[in-house]
Amino acid sequence: MAGDSEDLYQRFEREVRAARRRTLLDAFLPPPESLESAVAPPTPPPMPEPSPEEAGLMARLENAEPPPEPRPKPVKKRRAVPAKKKEAPKSLQEEVAEFMNRDQTALSPDDDLDAFLKNSLDPNVEPEPDKK
């Protein structure tokens, strides 16, 4: 697009004045750029008068103090991580012995389960009636 810096009205006038095909008469006429513009852009409409409410609001905004700066957020202090005691590394045998001795009750058979299995497998014992 030629003439991005040109106003829309100037582009219009240049297009109207410049002929598509040049004739012999154009050699005797001044160039279109040297002629004064006959097309003027319209003047912008005047700003409307503010209403009394708007005028009062604008006066209050102009005279108002700027809002105070927000307080900075408090910085949380991190508590110090207590130092862990360094234990001497255990040998593999010590770790295995600790694992084997840590819970003796988990390795023993369940007494309730044993009694249930004995009664359910014995054909001479009658099952208990269901209680509802």
Side-chain angles (χ1 to χ4, degrees):
M1 180 180 263
D4 285 336
S5 63
E6 290 181 332
D7 187 13
L8 179 65
Y9 297 101
Q10 292 171 343
R11 286 183 43 212
F12 168 71
E13 189 173 25
R14 184 176 39 87
E15 291 291 326
V16 169
R17 285 187 180 178
R20 296 260 184 235
R21 299 178 71 194
R22 305 251 330 156
T23 61
L24 292 176
L25 186 61
D26 291 332
F28 297 102
L29 296 175
E33 296 84 22
S34 66
L35 297 175
E36 197 172 316
S37 177
V39 180
T43 58
M47 292 293 292
E49 293 290 325
S51 66
E53 297 89 22
E54 291 174 345
L57 178 64
M58 291 301 292
R60 272 189 267 137
L61 289 176
E62 290 173 357
N63 295 336
E65 295 178 7
E69 294 183 20
R71 294 182 356 189
K73 292 182 180 179
V75 179
K76 293 182 181 179
K77 294 181 181 177
R78 292 187 174 186
R79 77 183 159 155
V81 178
K84 294 182 180 179
K85 293 183 180 179
K86 296 263 182 173
E87 297 179 4
K90 296 180 182 178
S91 66
L92 182 60
Q93 289 83 9
E94 291 173 347
E95 287 185 29
V96 169
E98 181 183 329
F99 178 76
M100 295 300 288
N101 294 331
R102 73 176 177 192
D103 193 12
Q104 293 294 331
T105 60
L107 298 176
S108 64
D110 193 6
D111 295 332
D112 295 334
L113 183 62
D114 190 37
F116 174 75
L117 288 176
K118 283 182 183 177
N119 291 338
S120 65
L121 297 176
D122 190 9
N124 297 332
V125 176
E126 294 182 22
E128 295 180 12
D130 291 339
K131 297 179 181 177
K132 290 187 180 180

